[in-house]
Amino acid sequence: MAKEKQRELRVVMFPWLAYGHITPFVELGKNLARHGLKIIFVSTPLNIKRIKPQVLDAPGIDLMELALPSVEGLPKGVESTAYCVKGADAPLLLSLLLVAMDLLEKPSESLLQQLSPDFVIFDVLQYWVPRVACKLPNPIPAILFVPMGVTGFSFLEGELDITSGNPTPEDLTVSPPGFSSPNIHFALFEGRRAMELLYRKHAGALSVAERSSICMRESWAVTSNTCLELEGAYAEYLHRLVKRPVYPVGLLMRNLPPPPKDDICLQWLDRQPVASVVVLSFGSEYILTNQQFSAIAMGLQESNASFLWILPAGNDLHQDFLDQIGEKEKGLVVTKCVPQLHILNHPSIAAFLTHCGWNSMT
């Protein structure tokens, strides 16, 4: 009697609307597809259009569009945080994007009922996904994928746990009891900034910290873009807090593509000595204040180090600083998309000054 063919496992993947989250979701999807799983990758039309070239070599991945509901005040075409970073209205746009995403709860429920996958893998802000998945006629296990390391999340979850969900900036300056390292904590000014970013209510919706906490405590399991060798103790601490399995899936990184031709950054680096250049990049979604720019520029001038400074469009450069760069030929400032993988892999690079975004770190 012929051996019965094993049924193909089908997984729906649903990342938050930020390219720093979408990219590791894509890489995880590729890895799962290589192991024989069928992946249905869900996002809004403009995001699907942007990631389509990344999955051309992954036949096990299907892309599915889910239209983003319109919200008053959110401009048409704003479907990711990449469009929410410029100007004084940036916090409002981010809040409205969260509101729009929450309106995807009902369409997502219908989609999951229609597709009836074996699992749904969701992100740290869609707190309603596990609730939707478990109330379907055929409940679906909802797996949280944290597209970054677990140390920060475990720290914040510990603070929420001991303060009944209402930490203060002063609370964040001390590690929570039982945390894996007492040396990891916020400075007071960092705690104040964290409160603003992570605990602020968004247009009446839940805060980022509240969302991630619900996701962790109501998911079937927690997975993370890290490894035991790097963050095993923090994964175990998080497991004790949320009482859910915590599985590091390994560091998800794209393969190094062929280098682009005639790239100004790589050409400039080719002319620099080995291990002599400082790279500065604070991500594509962070706009430096004038005070921050001036402080960093002063540090570079006083250090006399050669540098490559990658700034997203929208940062106002100080012309006197640019003039001094030209006079000394010590640095290069670019305000366009650059091949960061090739830049960081270049032998002339000595140091990397970054915002510590997980994709940049890995």
Side-chain angles (χ1 to χ4, degrees):
M1 183 176 178
K3 187 176 180 180
E4 185 179 349
K5 185 178 180 181
Q6 187 176 4
R7 187 177 69 85
E8 183 180 55
L9 289 176
R10 299 167 69 245
V11 180
V12 167
M13 301 188 72
F14 185 24
W16 160 238
L17 308 175
Y19 294 123
H21 289 233
I22 291 173
T23 297
F25 262 80
V26 168
E27 293 306 311
L28 178 61
K30 288 181 179 180
N31 285 347
L32 294 176
R34 280 193 285 267
H35 283 82
L37 280 70
K38 182 66 177 179
I39 305 301
I40 304 162
F41 200 97
V42 178
S43 193
T44 62
L46 290 180
N47 292 327
I48 291 294
K49 181 180 179 181
R50 176 162 174 169
I51 66 176
K52 188 175 292 186
Q54 301 177 38
V55 299
L56 293 177
D57 60 346
I61 298 181
D62 289 338
L63 302 177
M64 182 168 289
E65 296 180 0
L66 199 59
L68 190 68
S70 61
V71 172
E72 185 178 355
L74 186 66
K76 186 176 178 58
V78 174
E79 296 184 10
S80 80
T81 57
Y83 301 92
C84 299
V85 297
K86 299 178 179 66
D89 59 348
L92 174 60
L93 289 180
L94 176 59
S95 298
L96 294 176
L97 192 63
L98 280 166
V99 171
M101 185 196 64
D102 285 346
L103 293 176
L104 286 174
E105 179 176 349
K106 284 296 182 183
S108 298
E109 181 177 349
S110 299
L111 181 66
L112 289 175
Q113 188 164 354
Q114 170 195 339
L115 295 173
S116 189
D118 296 282
F119 299 94
V120 56
I121 300 178
F122 68 107
D123 211 334
V124 292
L125 296 181
Q126 293 98 302
Y127 68 96
W128 36 264
V129 169
R131 300 177 182 182
V132 164
C134 74
K135 74 177 184 180
L136 293 173
N138 295 311
I140 302 166
I143 299 173
L144 173 64
F145 174 53
V146 179
M148 55 206 68
V150 295
T151 301
F153 279 92
S154 63
F155 179 95
L156 294 173
E157 189 64 28
E159 293 291 351
L160 285 172
D161 198 56
I162 65 172
T163 61
S164 300
N166 293 294
T168 66
E170 289 74 18
D171 290 328
L172 300 181
T173 63
V174 180
S175 296
F179 193 63
S180 305
S181 172
N183 297 319
I184 294 179
H185 54 79
F186 288 82
L188 185 57
F189 79 92
E190 293 170 328
R192 290 175 178 142
R193 180 65 171 154
M195 294 297 299
E196 179 185 344
L197 294 174
L198 301 173
Y199 298 94
R200 183 183 67 231
K201 302 287 186 179
H202 290 271
L206 294 177
S207 69
V208 170
E210 290 170 321
R211 289 167 179 270
S212 65
S213 183
I214 293 171
C215 288
M216 290 180 187
R217 293 177 183 271
E218 298 189 5
S219 63
W220 185 70
V222 178
T223 59
S224 179
N225 183 11
T226 189
C227 58
L228 288 173
E229 293 84 354
L230 187 62
E231 294 186 290
Y234 304 100
E236 176 59 29
Y237 175 79
L238 186 60
H239 162 66
R240 294 197 303 269
L241 282 178
V242 301
K243 298 178 175 57
R244 293 288 188 274
V246 178
Y247 300 121
V249 300
L251 295 173
L252 298 166
M253 291 180 283
R254 289 177 291 168
N255 293 328
L256 194 65
K261 295 181 179 179
D262 303 323
D263 179 77
I264 184 174
C265 297
L266 296 178
Q267 290 176 342
W268 183 81
L269 289 172
D270 286 340
R271 299 194 296 269
Q272 311 307 315
V274 172
S276 65
V277 176
V278 176
V279 174
L280 300 91
S281 176
F282 304 104
S284 60
E285 298 184 10
Y286 185 78
I287 303 297
L288 291 168
T289 65
N290 286 336
Q291 184 181 16
Q292 290 169 331
F293 182 92
S294 297
I296 295 170
M298 184 180 298
L300 288 172
Q301 290 172 336
E302 293 184 358
S303 73
N304 204 34
S306 298
F307 63 90
L308 169 60
W309 197 344
I310 304 162
L311 283 165
N315 280 279
D316 295 324
L317 302 179
H318 296 246
Q319 191 58 48
D320 56 346
F321 176 68
L322 291 177
D323 291 341
Q324 291 184 44
I325 292 173
E327 292 172 5
K328 298 181 180 180
E329 295 185 352
K330 293 293 294 182
L332 177 65
V333 177
V334 291
T335 57
K336 63 181 183 64
C337 187
V338 300
Q340 179 165 288
L341 289 173
H342 289 282
I343 289 171
L344 294 178
N345 197 50
H346 198 282
S348 69
I349 301 303
F352 183 31
L353 181 59
T354 174
H355 67 308
C356 294
W358 196 247
N359 293 326
S360 294
M361 292 291 290
T362 53

